[in-house]
Amino acid sequence: GDADGHGAELSELYSYTEEPEFGTNRRCFEEDFHTQVRGRRWLELDRAQQKAYVMHLLDGLEVVNRDKRLKVARAILYLAQGVFGDCDNEGDVLHWSRHNSFLLYQLGTFTAFLELLNMEIDNSQACSSALRKPAISLADSTELRVLLSVMYLMVENIRVEQESDPPEWKTCRETFRMELGFPVRTEEPFALLLFTMVTKFCSGHAPHFPMKKVLLLLWKVLLFTLGGFEALQAMKVRKREELGLPPLPEDSIQVMRSMRAASPPTYCIELVEQQQQKRGHRSRRVRPLMKQDSLDIYNERDPFKNDEAGIDEEESDDVDSGIEGELDLMERDAIIPAVPAQRAPIERVSFPKGLPWAPKVRQKDIEHFLEASRNKFIGFTLGQDTETLIGLPRPIHESVKTLKQHKYISISDVQIKNEEELEKCPMSLGEEEVQETPCEILYRAMLYNLPQYMIALLKILLAAAPTSKAKTDSINILADVLPEEMPITVLQSMKLGIDVNRHKEIIVKSISALLLLLLKHLKLNHIYQFEYVSQHLVFANCIPLILKFFNQNIMSYITAKNSISVLDYPHCTVHDLPELTAESLEAGDNNQFCWRNLFSCINLLRILNKLTKWKHSRTMMLVVFKSAPILKRALKVKQAMMQLYVLKLLKIQTKYLGRQWRKSNMKTMSAIYQKVRHRMNDDWAYGNDIDARPWDFQSEECTLRANIEAFNSRRYDKPQDSEFAPVDNCLQSVLGQRLELPEDFHCSYELWLEREVFSQPIRWEELLHYQ
């Protein structure tokens, strides 16, 4: 999914320390509302009366007095929060929050708040007072938090579509999306303002900025303007059609949804297999992975799909589900007799037939295969010719035919080829037509400060990672969670501890989601835009940072319960809060895992995959930082999507890990065969890759950097006096051009003629020097 449930996403906007402010917002609204509308509630007003009252509030935002402005902003925030004082249950609060958000947007509230936000960002007085304070608390960011909360609620409520939405809301949603993604005149996109807030915070000039709210709003703005993962998939299909490429072999989102988590074979299953082999049932399948070539494995029964698996995924909670999970002897004896009894229900489960992914072959793979075959059978090569098969034996013809059947040309390949042609023939091919998409506009706006944006995001991610130690030089990301008065009792300390951990988790979630979204959209828009962002992430040590994040007990991180459900919005607004006790703090919710943390982990793994795919130098970084044992530990999380991305990262480095590692991790190897897409004639398991030459690594990154710089300068640096500007060398048209002459020139024309033309001797011989 693109995000968690609607209620959960709204509740994460507020820290538990902010809970008293709900009452403050309600008070500000009711004090003003009862002076304007006597004896009635907000829910009882008709649409015209609601509009009139909102317009009255917006007029109140124009006053000079800061405190009065803040009171009006709080009243508007109370409306956006769903006038919970008039509601009986959580559903009503969420309904009125959506209703009021659309109403506020239609009356121009977002634009008014954008102006106020710009004023607050430039408020040097607030910055300097925050810099002077030894400890920053919630009180330093009150105005900013109110403004960002209103904007977040509007973006999130309008972004989420529901079937019952009236047509005017749908129109409203599209208008808002256009407004955020396509700024009018010379204005910058709204997302850029938020990126600027992030860099200003990280540089230390504005330590009071409420970073969690900024990052959540930035993520949701990108999600709204660029589109989520399903929208991205539809755009990809459309773009392939426009480029005349064959359709995608499968919808990756659907394949992922139907995948099951690997429940690896443990010793008891191996013992069952051995017993059956004695009876002759499996004489053909003894140790298939050790003896056979990778392509033969496709026809083998995968050990992960054994009918005889005595422990199914759902029944084996007590068994270690890690890839290298082992049972001790007592457990083995206990489980083996149960195998025949469990066999009947397991056979009724319909396993998917074959492999989940269609294999892919690149053009380069076919060329390498033919080059090796021609060298072997003919003794010379034909370069990039993949059509001529004269002199090659029949089986090679069959192989080439199979490879071509599965040939996959990506959008990136087409873009790289077009870029090469534009670089080669800038004059004849002329100007490139660039589509004005929200992604293109955002990249153009971000381009010159992009390295700073990436460094700032990674700095905050490092500060929020659970494995980070508190250092004096690290940035303080707790400015919008710490109360003015620190806790006195143990209970208050426990509550604050949970709040701080939850705060960090939400920051990790928003940064990981927005980085992944940005990378995926840029890759579709243009491969070199994606490579530019990727390279700056790699230069800013993103790879070791993500590995450091995973170098913890990942199971305890994913099952962490850093939430107090009675304090979550909207529950806390419509129910009387019980007196907090240690038991109620520890109760949390009843979920088996924390959706937020699992989402963050999968996003970070996907970012790591994006950075390292087809990049040998970066794959070597994974090897150098000893990522294999860290990633193997992450396989203990029994969730199919997370396992897939871990296995992908293990697959690309397998060839560098040595024979001994492969030998002792055969279960991991077989999991890779089963889960990850196959690239025909990809020698990932044996290390004979001709691309993997260690001496090419440095040049690979340098070549990529040169290509990115050439792309950026060609498309975005457009000097007026370009050397490619056409020169007019026609005498008639040059003499016929009208020149703007000063007014007094006509009066002194004869004098100028005498001085500049007639009195100057004409040196005809000088013309010979220019020939």
Side-chain angles (χ1 to χ4, degrees):
D2 295 317
D4 204 345
H6 187 51
E9 289 296 338
L10 295 184
S11 77
E12 288 180 355
L13 178 64
Y14 313 103
S15 56
Y16 297 142
T17 323
E18 289 178 276
E19 190 261 327
E21 294 190 13
F22 286 116
T24 314
N25 299 339
R26 181 179 176 179
R27 238 182 355 266
C28 290
F29 172 81
E30 287 177 350
E31 282 171 12
D32 186 76
F33 185 70
H34 293 316
T35 60
Q36 299 294 318
V37 185
R38 295 187 185 279
R40 297 178 72 186
R41 299 188 309 160
W42 172 262
L43 311 188
E44 295 166 357
L45 302 183
D46 62 28
R47 190 164 177 78
Q49 290 169 319
Q50 288 181 346
K51 279 187 173 181
Y53 181 68
V54 171
M55 291 306 288
H56 155 73
L57 284 178
L58 290 175
D59 288 340
L61 287 177
E62 302 292 328
V63 297
V64 178
N65 187 309
R66 221 174 134 80
D67 294 334
K68 285 182 181 174
R69 257 204 330 260
L70 179 61
K71 277 189 173 181
V72 174
R74 281 194 181 282
I76 292 173
L77 175 55
Y78 176 71
L79 282 175
Q81 285 171 341
V83 286
F84 47 81
D86 298 346
C87 297
D88 301 324
N89 56 52
E90 294 174 30
D92 286 352
V93 176
L94 294 177
H95 166 77
W96 281 102
S97 178
R98 288 195 86 223
H99 174 275
N100 293 343
S101 293
F102 277 99
L103 179 68
L104 289 168
Y105 172 68
Q106 286 164 342
L107 297 175
T109 311
F110 193 85
T111 314
F113 271 70
L114 184 55
E115 286 176 15
L116 290 173
L117 182 65
N118 276 308
M119 278 169 59
E120 278 302 321
I121 291 169
D122 298 333
N123 184 349
S124 54
Q125 190 183 345
C127 293
S128 57
S129 70
L131 284 166
R132 283 197 301 273
K133 282 191 177 181
I136 300 165
S137 68
L138 274 174
D140 297 296
S141 59
T142 308
E143 287 88 354
L144 277 169
R145 282 186 294 107
V146 170
L147 297 176
L148 290 165
S149 295
V150 172
M151 294 170 108
Y152 179 85
L153 287 166
M154 287 175 71
V155 169
E156 182 62 2
N157 279 317
I158 295 173
R159 179 188 74 81
V160 175
E161 296 179 36
Q162 289 183 4
E163 288 179 13
S164 57
D165 289 351
E168 64 171 305
W169 282 14
K170 291 175 183 173
T171 314
C172 203
R173 182 177 295 119
E174 289 311 309
T175 313
F176 193 22
R177 183 183 280 129
M178 292 288 283
E179 190 182 309
L180 291 173
F182 295 92
V184 288
R185 297 186 297 279
T186 55
E187 288 177 22
E188 57 190 23
F190 178 52
L192 196 75
L193 178 69
L194 299 172
F195 270 119
T196 313
M197 286 184 79
V198 175
T199 48
K200 198 171 177 183
F201 171 78
C202 284
S203 64
H205 297 312
H208 65 298
F209 281 0
M211 229 353 79
K212 183 187 82 174
K213 286 182 170 55
V214 173
L215 291 166
L216 279 172
L217 180 54
L218 176 54
W219 166 38
K220 290 303 166 63
V221 167
L222 292 182
L223 188 57
F224 187 31
T225 53
L226 304 182
F229 297 128
E230 292 200 353
L232 189 74
Q233 188 73 8
M235 285 157 65
K236 194 173 181 181
V237 168
R238 207 161 50 243
K239 193 151 189 173
R240 288 186 72 81
E241 281 176 12
E242 286 169 14
L243 294 171
L245 296 173
L248 292 163
E250 71 274 294
D251 181 344
S252 55
I253 296 173
Q254 295 306 323
V255 173
M256 213 85 77
R257 279 183 184 147
S258 61
M259 281 179 91
R260 304 176 71 205
S263 192
T266 43
Y267 280 130
C268 69
I269 296 164
E270 290 167 9
L271 290 176
V272 172
E273 284 184 7
Q274 284 168 18
Q275 286 171 6
Q276 291 187 334
Q277 283 160 13
K278 284 174 189 170
R279 295 199 296 270
H281 286 309
R282 283 181 180 248
S283 55
R284 196 176 146 267
R285 282 198 207 102
V286 181
R287 303 184 73 192
L289 292 176
M290 301 299 280
K291 300 286 182 188
Q292 293 171 327
D293 164 288
S294 61
L295 285 170
D296 290 345
I297 297 301
Y298 297 170
N299 305 318
E300 292 299 324
R301 170 73 64 89
D302 199 293
F304 282 66
K305 294 183 187 170
N306 278 330
D307 290 346
E308 291 77 21
I311 317 152
D312 193 53
E313 281 94 340
E314 283 68 43
E315 280 89 24
S316 64
D317 290 340
D318 56 329
V319 179
D320 179 5
S321 59
I323 289 290
E324 297 303 318
E326 295 178 2
L327 296 172
D328 64 41
L329 288 165
M330 284 173 66
E331 287 177 316
R332 265 190 247 168
D333 295 336
I335 290 171
I336 291 166
V339 171
Q342 289 205 5
R343 183 165 178 169
I346 288 175
E347 284 181 338
R348 285 202 296 272
V349 175
S350 57
F351 289 112
K353 302 290 180 197
L355 295 159
W357 306 99
K360 284 181 181 177
V361 179
R362 296 178 299 169
Q363 175 69 19
K364 197 159 68 167
D365 297 332
I366 301 174
E367 286 167 14
H368 285 164
F369 177 74
L370 277 170
E371 187 181 352
S373 303
R374 284 171 183 147
N375 271 329
K376 183 177 178 182
F377 294 105
I378 309 172
F380 63 87
T381 60
L382 298 174
Q384 294 180 338
D385 182 357
T386 56
E387 302 303 318
T388 311
L389 302 177
I390 297 165
L392 295 173
R394 189 82 204 142
I396 300 293
H397 287 234
E398 292 293 326
S399 302
V400 172
K401 185 183 171 186
T402 308
L403 288 172
K404 284 183 177 176
Q405 275 173 357
H406 293 95
K407 182 177 164 185
Y408 175 76
I409 302 168
S410 67
I411 295 168
S412 306
D413 295 338
V414 176
Q415 289 170 342
I416 290 169
K417 197 175 175 187
N418 289 347
E419 198 55 36
E420 284 171 0
E421 287 172 4
L422 282 163
E423 281 292 319
K424 213 181 288 178
C425 323
M427 299 292 284
S428 56
L429 291 174
E431 280 288 315
E432 175 193 21
E433 273 189 44
V434 182
Q435 249 184 321
E436 283 291 284
T437 59
C439 191
E440 181 65 35
I441 290 165
L442 181 65
Y443 179 78
R444 196 163 55 227
M446 287 173 67
L447 181 61
Y448 296 106
N449 292 317
L450 200 137
Q452 288 91 303
Y453 299 146
M454 294 305 116
I455 290 167
L457 287 173
L458 292 183
K459 267 187 181 177
I460 298 170
L461 184 62
L462 177 64
T467 48
S468 294
K469 303 283 182 287
K471 291 179 185 169
T472 49
D473 59 338
S474 67
I475 47 178
N476 176 20
I477 54 167
L478 305 176
D480 51 334
V481 71
L482 295 177
E484 280 187 276
E485 295 173 5
M486 290 309 279
I488 308 162
T489 65
V490 175
L491 204 62
Q492 286 175 335
S493 299
M494 281 176 68
K495 180 186 162 188
L496 184 60
I498 291 171
D499 206 1
V500 165
N501 288 338
R502 174 178 176 268
H503 181 80
K504 287 182 174 181
E505 288 171 6
I506 295 166
I507 286 177
V508 171
K509 171 189 170 180
S510 51
I511 292 179
S512 65
L514 80 87
L515 277 178
L516 179 63
L517 205 62
L518 201 59
L519 287 171
K520 284 184 80 67
H521 275 281
L522 288 173
K523 190 171 185 183
L524 183 62
N525 199 52
H526 199 289
I527 183 65
Y528 283 139
Q529 294 175 350
F530 161 79
E531 294 291 7
Y532 186 54
V533 175
S534 299
Q535 207 162 51
H536 280 294
L537 285 172
V538 172
F539 294 160
N541 280 338
C542 186
I543 292 174
L545 170 56
I546 294 176
L547 291 174
K548 182 180 179 180
F549 179 88
F550 279 96
N551 194 16
Q552 59 169 314
N553 185 342
I554 211 73
M555 279 299 280
S556 65
Y557 183 71
I558 280 170
T559 54
K561 292 202 168 26
N562 288 313
S563 61
I564 308 166
S565 48
V566 291
L567 292 180
D568 279 337
Y569 169 90
H571 184 280
C572 66
T573 59
V574 288
H575 295 93
D576 293 329
L577 294 182
E579 193 176 337
L580 287 181
T581 61
E583 289 72 34
S584 65
L585 286 181
E586 288 171 356
D589 49 28
N590 298 320
N591 293 334
Q592 293 296 310
F593 66 96
C594 174
W595 192 95
R596 170 173 64 234
N597 291 353
L598 184 60
F599 181 69
S600 303
C601 288
I602 293 173
N603 288 340
L604 290 170
L605 286 167
R606 293 179 76 177
I607 290 166
L608 201 50
N609 265 294
K610 288 247 169 280
L611 297 182
T612 51
K613 191 177 181 183
W614 303 120
K615 304 285 189 304
H616 298 293
S617 52
R618 297 175 195 176
T619 306
M620 279 308 290
M621 284 176 80
L622 291 178
V623 179
V624 169
F625 291 123
K626 296 184 171 58
S627 65
I630 297 170
L631 293 168
K632 262 184 66 186
R633 277 203 302 277
L635 282 169
K636 288 185 177 179
V637 180
K638 216 166 75 174
Q639 204 274 345
M641 194 171 178
M642 183 160 165
Q643 284 183 344
L644 172 71
Y645 288 110
V646 172
L647 291 169
K648 278 186 171 189
L649 287 165
L650 285 168
K651 178 183 175 179
I652 58 173
Q653 54 178 313
T654 303
K655 62 167 81 78
Y656 305 113
L657 294 173
R659 189 177 171 187
Q660 188 54 46
W661 187 90
R662 295 195 288 270
K663 198 173 170 185
S664 55
N665 289 279
M666 287 315 289
K667 288 169 196 162
T668 310
M669 301 287 279
S670 68
I672 292 171
Y673 272 111
Q674 184 213 5
K675 298 255 175 222
V676 184
R677 189 191 300 279
H678 289 275
R679 299 269 173 178
M680 290 186 178
N681 67 1
D682 174 14
D683 218 358
W684 66 270
Y686 304 106
N688 303 321
D689 192 346
I690 53 172
D691 276 353
R693 300 188 184 111
W695 55 86
D696 286 347
F697 293 160
Q698 200 63 41
S699 63
E700 183 186 66
E701 285 288 347
C702 293
T703 308
L704 180 61
R705 194 170 187 178
N707 289 340
I708 294 164
E709 283 174 359
F711 163 76
N712 281 336
S713 65
R714 183 190 64 72
R715 192 183 271 197
Y716 303 107
D717 298 344
K718 293 191 174 166
Q720 296 303 309
D721 51 344
S722 166
E723 59 181 296
F724 294 124
V727 177
D728 188 353
N729 51 17
C730 172
L731 188 66
Q732 291 291 335
S733 71
V734 171
L735 291 175
Q737 282 176 6
R738 289 187 67 82
L739 288 173
E740 290 294 322
L741 298 169
E743 289 178 13
D744 59 342
F745 182 77
H746 298 288
C747 308
S748 57
Y749 171 66
E750 290 179 357
L751 185 67
W752 177 85
L753 206 63
E754 182 65 38
R755 191 176 64 233
E756 297 291 333
V757 182
F758 299 145
S759 64
Q760 294 289 333
I762 299 169
R763 301 186 185 87
W764 298 104
E765 70 278 4
E766 283 189 10
L767 285 173
L768 298 172
H769 297 305
Y770 297 106
Q771 296 299 323

